[in-house]
Amino acid sequence: GHPMGDRVLQEFVACCQDALRNDGLLARTGGEEFCILLPGTDLDTARHIAERIREQTQARRIAVPAQELRISASFGVAGLCDTDERFETLYSRADLALYAAKQQGRNRTSLLRSPAQEGVLATPVADSPRFGARRRRSSSTSMPRRAAMSCTWSSPIWPTTK
């Protein structure tokens, strides 16, 4: 019910806050979706932060009577480009990367390195589970120093035995 959903949200936010420390801004965009802004952060560092949050979320257990609940999270990571005039453009790319992560099996991080990738699925991250292919490198020599993540914790949450 609602109290358990609130508890899951609190646990997920705690994972995010622990991984972000004072380096980013976490905002709930609705339901179980969040956006994380990382000013002064390049894409590879943002990817590592997303993976750290994903791993912490997956390791977290929520005790309820007679069982434990586990949650997982998917992340889409994108960087701000010189041509971006509005936040919505960056957020849209991060959301596209999140959609790719969900399409690739959830509980993973997907990275959109450039707007040119928008027509194809975002690149999955090598550190994520069930990843088989190599990550593509961007041909650009200058990497953005501002990144954003769109993320969601996966539901339903599932019980495990204590």
Side-chain angles (χ1 to χ4, degrees):
H2 292 295
M4 185 52 62
D6 290 345
R7 178 115 181 260
V8 170
L9 285 171
Q10 291 168 352
E11 294 291 331
F12 179 72
V13 167
C15 289
C16 292
Q17 289 173 330
D18 183 50
L20 292 173
R21 298 176 190 95
N22 294 323
D23 297 333
L25 174 68
L26 173 68
R28 184 176 177 197
T29 57
E32 58 196 35
E33 293 191 358
F34 292 81
C35 178
I36 300 171
L37 294 177
L38 299 164
T41 305
D42 64 48
L43 283 176
D44 287 327
T45 302
R47 174 183 62 86
H48 287 293
I49 292 169
E51 279 296 294
R52 187 168 57 231
I53 296 169
R54 188 189 64 74
E55 290 168 358
Q56 287 178 4
T57 300
Q58 186 175 358
R60 182 101 19 155
R61 301 292 183 262
I62 302 170
V64 295
Q67 63 184 354
E68 285 183 334
L69 300 176
R70 299 185 320 168
I71 58 175
S72 64
S74 298
F75 292 84
V77 180
L80 186 67
C81 298
D82 291 336
T83 57
D84 291 342
E85 294 182 10
R86 303 182 66 194
F87 164 75
E88 288 81 8
T89 307
L90 170 60
Y91 182 71
S92 177
R93 280 197 308 278
D95 204 45
L96 179 63
L98 173 61
Y99 177 76
K102 289 178 175 183
Q103 290 295 106
Q104 295 161 5
R106 297 184 182 259
N107 193 30
R108 63 185 63 241
T109 298
S110 241
L111 186 65
L112 194 66
R113 286 200 171 268
S114 72
Q117 277 187 291
E118 288 183 39
V120 296
L121 284 180
T123 307
V125 171
D127 302 347
S128 290
R130 299 180 301 267
F131 178 80
R134 276 204 170 106
R135 185 180 52 161
R136 286 177 268 155
R137 295 267 180 209
S138 170
S139 59
S140 171
T141 56
S142 67
M143 296 297 288
R145 297 288 304 169
R146 293 164 298 251
M149 285 181 237
S150 180
C151 55
T152 182
W153 52 271
S154 297
S155 61
I157 51 181
W158 58 94
T160 60
T161 57
K162 280 192 174 180

